[in-house]
Amino acid sequence: MINQAYIDEYFGEKAVYLRAGTYEAILLPEIGGNMIAFRDIVRNFRFLREPSFEEMKDFKKIPYIHGIPVLFPPNRYENGEFPWQGQTYRFPINEPSTGNHLHGFVHNVPWTIEQISSDEMESRVTVALVIDVLHPVYEYFPHLFTIRLQYTLSGEGLLQRVTVRNDGNTRMPCLLAFHTTINAPFAQNGHTEDYLFKMTIGKRWELNDRMLPTVKFQPLTSNEENMRSGFISPFFEPMDNHYTADPQDGRNRMELKDRRNKVKLIYDVGTAYRQWMIWNNDAQGGYFCPEPQISLVNAPMISLPANQSGLFALEQGELWEETSRLYCIDEK
């Protein structure tokens, strides 16, 4: 197959299509730079949860549970408050049940396509979100910065490279996560019971009734130990859990086995992501979200050293960068 990178539509929305080998990927630049699809078009695997035509209206309102949404700043902030450098930023309360702000401001705004290309090795796209004083995000997060996403598709899967650059002259907090939504089953002939997974989790953070960390840890259950060192169904119980990341053999990743088709999807997220969230929609089956995250939930409100909370600053002109990869391999 010929590798390709081109612009088309996805249910009426502007989309960038990448094709390489047996893989296809689709990105929606005007809806948060969301990589909405990653597929093996020969074996008919759809690894990411894609919105159907009927779901597009709801997807545009709440784009958290399809594709790979960008969360900046990620997850929950108590009372919508974000103290930083002697100031307190005020975020809208968009989760009334907890009285918190949830998931930041960049997952549903337009991003700019900077580059599309392909060659005999791979296809690629780069999109960017540039925040200046006129951008709506600046009202809540008053910093000048650029987030840049590059996706490269090849026979080795889907490579994501993300950079955050401080374009202003004040110290800027850097917090980011991806609400990656994985299909289980991802094969057309698959069933939920065919799927087992593991993740490189470490300790489980205790969460209060507002889903905010108490800075204490909870002991892992036997099922959670299987998440870490063995394999277990991603729907063994309802999960909206927060863990430290504990890389194994130098790698920080989630692995999902399809026992019927004897394949394994690997989501290798890089060791700069020092926390995991995992959410499985009340264990209803069909999909779950292993979410790599730089920092602890509600980090600015928690009295922990930066090396534990993961909250750090970018000085003027500084960059933070990390890569992740999704790929599928055959099992013996």
Side-chain angles (χ1 to χ4, degrees), residues 247-262:
Q248 298 173 9
D249 300 323
R251 291 172 292 179
N252 194 25
R253 59 188 190 168
M254 184 281 300
E255 302 175 44
L256 179 64
K257 286 185 178 183
D258 178 330
R259 293 179 291 177
R260 178 182 298 262
N261 293 286
K262 294 183 171 54

Side-chain angles (χ1 to χ4, degrees), residues 102-237:
L102 180 68
H103 289 340
F105 314 105
V106 307
H107 50 72
N108 57 1
V109 299
W111 291 49
T112 300
I113 299 172
E114 291 190 327
Q115 181 261 3
I116 302 174
S117 62
S118 63
D119 54 35
E120 66 278 5
M121 295 292 293
E122 59 193 26
S123 58
R124 62 195 75 82
V125 60
T126 303
V127 293
L129 179 66
V130 180
I131 305 301
D132 59 23
V133 295
L134 300 179
H135 197 284
V137 167
Y138 187 86
E139 176 184 354
Y140 302 110
F141 197 82
H143 294 275
L144 309 179
F145 64 99
T146 300
I147 306 176
R148 183 168 282 107
L149 275 173
Q150 182 185 67
Y151 283 101
T152 303
L153 191 68
S154 70
E156 296 180 339
L158 181 66
L159 173 67
Q160 177 200 71
R161 181 181 298 275
V162 57
T163 60
V164 182
R165 184 184 68 208
N166 183 357
D167 299 325
N169 56 15
T170 59
R171 301 178 80 236
M172 169 188 153
C174 184
L175 306 96
L176 178 138
F178 293 94
H179 206 290
T180 307
T181 309
I182 302 292
N183 278 330
F186 55 70
Q188 186 179 46
N189 68 342
H191 301 285
T192 298
E193 55 268 25
D194 298 330
Y195 286 77
L196 301 175
F197 89 123
K198 66 184 294 188
M199 287 173 61
T200 52
I201 62 168
K203 298 178 180 179
R204 179 176 175 177
W205 293 101
E206 180 184 70
L207 302 179
N208 63 22
D209 58 359
R210 297 179 66 184
M211 299 302 293
L212 301 170
T214 67
V215 309
K216 298 178 182 178
F217 292 113
Q218 293 178 307
L220 297 182
T221 66
S222 59
N223 285 329
E224 289 173 314
E225 290 287 358
N226 281 333
M227 281 175 57
R228 180 169 67 176
S229 58
F231 280 88
I232 192 169
S233 166
F235 310 108
F236 68 84
E237 67 181 22

